[in-house]
């Protein structure tokens, strides 16, 4: 765990979070930040909806028509508790209180924005507990860069066109950018927390070791030459054979004869790599002379893998009936690597430095929500 550092919480104003979240819920909104692939928070454990006395009275309507009242002076802030004031011709006015607006948003959009806010507050608190202090200026700069990229990619630098597109999708440019900042902050906190708390398992170390150095630390480079029924049939039709004459037994006979002839050439001193380039039907390896670097034992089935595993360097193998056809093969080299303490430490450092995965971030979400007691007003 990192040493404890000063870590001011990244608490955004509730209105900013709520409005930014709501503004980007339309199905036509352009996607900029990485999309959230996690299931909806509503299905996660840890959220206990318990009756609680609400401080927000249900709104009877979206707006309330009030008796005529003095209009707020230009440039003068609205009175405390008043969210909007609308003057009507003839002197009447409409006032919308902050409580009415909050109740309207809850009625229209449900509790999902509040649940998002709960998770983001939990993230902020976990960061403080872990001793993580993210660079908010860097986050803001990354959001500006992302906005510039969106401007170029969506509107070719035309700000008015981008703003019109955003408004036509149902939200304001300001709210969209606010949401970008919220998303970027959340993702930064998730990444930093996951990295600070990551503890690679022995299985992960072993998996990385074998991906780099081969199963059990044994890396085998192999060359092979493959002949298949499909390619053999196409070649024979091109040569003038009728389709009716090319039954499966006939194709197997032709492949066997060709492999036997090539085996004689290799034993006579012909270059295996050159023969593979000319005669192999495996297009993925033919251009490299049939080379399979760090053969992992999975390709072409167990009939091919077993003799390769037991062969000595330079040994010629075949014919081998594989899952895709008949092979000739030759082990180029065998390199055995031991998982020493020094190499283990290197692999651990690499695992610790790897980018966070969606699963790690989702597991963090599950843990924070599952360990918290959360009560929400009905």
């Amino acid at each position: 765990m990192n040493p404890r550092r000063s870590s001011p919480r990244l608490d955004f104003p509730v209105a900013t979070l709520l409005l930014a979240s709501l503004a980007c819920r339309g199905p036509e909104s352009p996607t900029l930040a990485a999309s959230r692939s996690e299931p909806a928070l509503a299905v996660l454990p840890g959220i206990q909806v318990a009756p609680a006395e609400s401080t927000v009275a249900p709104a009877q309507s979206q707006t309330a028509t009030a008796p005529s009242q003095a209009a707020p002076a230009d440039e003068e802030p609205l009175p405390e508790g008043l969210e909007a004031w609308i003057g009507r011709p003839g002197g009447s006015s409409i006032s919308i209180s902050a409580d009415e607006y909050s109740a309207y948003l809850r009625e229209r959009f449900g509790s999902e924005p509040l649940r998002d806010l709960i998770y983001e507050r939990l993230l902020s608190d976990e960061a403080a507990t872990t001793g993580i202090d993210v660079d908010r200026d860097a986050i803001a700069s990354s959001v500006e860069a992302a906005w510039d990229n969106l401007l170029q990619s969506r509107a070719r630098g035309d700000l008015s066109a981008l703003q019109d597109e955003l408004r036509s999708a149902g939200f304001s440019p300001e709210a969209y950018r606010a949401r970008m900042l919220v998303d970027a902050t959340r993702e930064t906190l998730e990444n930093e927390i996951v990295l600070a708390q990551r503890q690679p398992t022995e299985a992960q170390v072993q998996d990385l070791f074998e991906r780099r150095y081969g199963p059990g630390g044994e890396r085998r480079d192999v060359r092979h030459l493959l002949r298949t029924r499909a390619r053999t049939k196409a070649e024979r039709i091109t040569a003038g054979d009728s389709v009716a004459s090319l039954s499966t037994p006939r194709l197997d006979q032709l492949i066997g004869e060709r492999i036997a002839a090539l085996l004689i050439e290799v034993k006579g001193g012909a270059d295996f790599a050159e023969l593979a380039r000319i005669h192999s039907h495996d297009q993925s390896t033919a251009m490299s002379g049939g080379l399979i670097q760090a053969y992992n034992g999975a390709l072409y089935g167990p009939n091919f893998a077993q003799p390769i595993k037991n062969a000595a360097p330079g040994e010629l193998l075949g014919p081998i009936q594989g899952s895709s056809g008949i092979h000739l093969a030759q082990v180029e080299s065998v390199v055995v690597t031991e998982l020493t303490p020094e190499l283990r430490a290197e692999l651990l450092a690499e695992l610790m430095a790897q980018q966070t995965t969606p699963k790690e971030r989702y597991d963090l979400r599950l843990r924070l929500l599952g360990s918290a007691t959360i009560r929400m007003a009905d």
Side-chain angles (χ1 to χ4, degrees):
M1 182 176 294
N2 294 339
R4 185 63 179 268
R5 293 171 284 177
S6 173
S7 179
R9 297 191 180 186
L10 299 173
D11 290 346
F12 288 91
V14 174
T16 299
L17 284 164
L18 181 61
L19 291 174
S21 177
L22 299 179
C24 294
R25 293 184 181 276
E28 301 179 17
S29 61
T31 299
L32 178 71
S35 61
R36 297 175 62 181
S37 58
E38 301 92 339
L41 187 56
V43 302
L44 299 180
I47 292 185
Q48 304 171 14
V49 181
E53 182 178 354
S54 174
T55 59
V56 180
Q60 299 301 315
S61 61
Q62 294 181 0
T63 60
T65 302
S68 178
Q69 63 182 56
D74 291 343
E75 308 300 330
E76 178 182 323
L78 291 176
E80 184 177 354
L82 192 64
E83 193 71 28
W85 181 92
I86 308 101
R88 296 276 293 164
S92 65
S93 65
I94 300 171
S95 298
I96 301 175
S97 70
D99 285 350
E100 286 180 298
Y101 183 46
S102 177
Y104 164 75
L105 292 176
R106 180 181 291 274
E107 179 182 351
R108 182 172 180 183
F109 298 103
S111 61
E112 190 65 20
L114 177 59
R115 296 180 183 188
D116 288 343
L117 178 59
I118 288 170
Y119 174 60
E120 285 157 12
R121 290 292 174 85
L122 286 171
L123 273 178
S124 180
D125 190 70
E126 184 74 3
T129 302
T130 309
I132 292 172
D133 185 11
V134 299
D135 188 341
R136 296 184 66 179
D137 290 338
I139 295 174
S141 296
S142 71
V143 169
E144 287 303 311
W147 174 263
D148 290 341
N149 181 66
L150 179 68
L151 178 61
Q152 295 300 323
S153 62
R154 297 290 300 219
R156 298 183 180 181
D158 188 337
L159 179 59
S160 295
L162 179 59
Q163 291 174 334
D164 289 344
E165 181 181 354
L166 293 175
R167 291 191 182 97
S168 68
F171 47 87
S172 70
E174 294 77 17
Y176 190 87
R177 294 182 72 164
R179 180 66 194 195
M180 289 167 61
L181 182 60
V182 171
D183 286 346
T185 302
R186 184 196 68 247
E187 290 162 8
T188 300
L189 285 172
E190 287 176 333
N191 290 334
E192 292 293 331
I193 292 170
V194 166
L195 290 174
Q197 299 178 351
R198 178 183 280 168
Q199 295 181 336
T201 65
E202 181 60 31
Q204 290 173 316
V205 173
Q206 187 66 30
D207 178 67
L208 179 58
F209 171 70
E210 294 196 351
R211 281 190 282 117
R212 179 174 294 176
Y213 299 103
E218 185 176 275
R219 173 184 169 128
R220 288 175 173 261
D221 289 349
V222 177
R223 290 191 188 275
H224 83 125
L225 187 158
L226 171 66
R227 301 287 293 185
T228 67
R229 289 172 180 165
R231 289 288 301 279
T232 298
K233 184 175 183 178
E235 290 172 356
R236 295 309 305 172
I237 291 174
T238 301
D241 290 2
S242 66
V243 174
S245 69
L246 297 173
S247 63
T248 297
R250 174 58 177 160
L251 290 171
D252 288 344
Q253 178 188 355
L254 291 170
I255 293 172
E257 291 171 354
R258 190 62 176 142
I259 286 289
L262 291 169
L263 182 59
I264 291 173
E265 289 189 53
V266 174
K267 289 181 176 180
D271 182 67
F272 190 103
E274 185 62 25
L275 290 178
R277 268 189 285 269
I278 297 172
H279 300 288
S280 180
H281 289 163
D282 185 353
Q283 297 181 353
S284 64
T285 63
M287 293 300 294
S288 61
L291 181 63
I292 307 171
Q293 293 183 316
Y295 177 66
N296 60 12
L299 291 173
Y300 309 118
N303 288 347
F304 182 82
Q306 191 60 41
I308 294 297
K309 178 180 179 181
N310 297 325
E315 186 175 348
L316 183 63
L317 303 168
I320 303 171
Q321 181 66 59
S323 59
S324 302
I326 299 179
H327 303 257
L328 291 179
Q330 188 172 47
V331 177
E332 285 276 299
S333 63
V334 178
V335 178
V336 178
T337 302
E338 181 183 354
L339 184 54
T340 63
E342 294 78 13
L343 180 55
R344 181 185 299 276
E346 178 185 325
L347 296 174
L348 276 171
E350 182 174 336
L351 287 170
M352 290 294 294
Q354 287 178 351
Q355 289 186 341
T356 62
T357 65
K359 183 180 185 304
E360 286 180 308
R361 296 190 295 275
Y362 181 53
D363 287 346
L364 171 65
R365 184 184 182 97
L366 285 178
R367 179 172 64 80
L368 292 182
L369 292 167
S371 62
T373 300
I374 303 169
R375 300 178 70 242
M376 296 187 297
D378 292 336

